Amino acid sequence: MFTDPKIFRQRIGQCLSKDRHRLVRMLDRLLADQKTGLHLEGAFEALEQRLLASEALVDRRVQSIPNISYPELPVSERRQDILNALMAHQVIIVCGETGSGKTTQLPKICLEAGRGRRGFIGHTQPRRIAARAVAMRIAEEMGQPLGQAVGYKVRFQDQSRPESLIKLMTDGILLAETPRDRFLDAYDTLIVDEAHERSLNIDFLLGYLKWL
């Protein structure tokens, strides 16, 4: 029961994004030790418990997803096209006129596409005031208090929590997280807004994401 690597790997793929690397390393180490003849049933049971804990957190995130509705905006009319692109591609670029609703509606479209279950939908803004304002607007549209399903993090202020589904932040905040989260495992989706502004932070961030 505890030694079928295929089952373990399938389950690890459904765990929280931030747990996957650690669980894969743990499994690979146990499988290597098993080949030496060691009795590792207790160790596999410990891995099972960690898997169960991560799976339970994913279930809690899924249960916390509120009903999603869309106001009448140009981007809402192209919602199915964006959903199809999200399903088919790892990276997509969405262009539209100012005021078309990209900033506020794209995170909700990502949530509808199944993102946010195993990590944050991260959404960067060039400026702190924009990160706060966008978070407040999305939370309001989803009928949620700010800081629950939708949160934000800017310098000296963090109104998000581990259970949040959508996290607004400045691009500088996301860059600052890379030393301790090298693969940005806390996120299962990242939206880089206002990328056309081409600030130094945005250029560094796009380069980092291309490397990932």
Side-chain angles (χ1 to χ4, degrees), residues 33-66:
D33 290 343
Q34 188 182 46
K35 291 178 181 179
T36 67
L38 294 175
H39 295 288
L40 300 168
E41 189 148 321
F44 277 104
E45 288 178 356
L47 175 59
E48 170 75 12
Q49 292 305 310
R50 293 195 180 192
L51 273 168
L52 288 172
S54 189
E55 289 169 341
L57 290 173
V58 171
D59 287 340
R60 284 172 58 185
R61 294 179 68 83
V62 171
Q63 294 301 319
S64 72
I65 297 173

Side-chain angles (χ1 to χ4, degrees), residues 69-71 73 75-76 99-109 123 125 133-139 141-142 166 193:
S69 60
Y70 299 92
L73 290 167
V75 75
S76 303
S100 60
K102 302 183 302 298
T103 295
T104 53
Q105 305 311 307
L106 282 176
K108 297 193 301 185
I109 294 173
H123 189 179
Q125 294 290 321
V134 172
M136 291 175 64
R137 179 62 182 174
I138 297 173
E141 289 186 5
M142 294 175 68
I166 299 170
D193 205 355

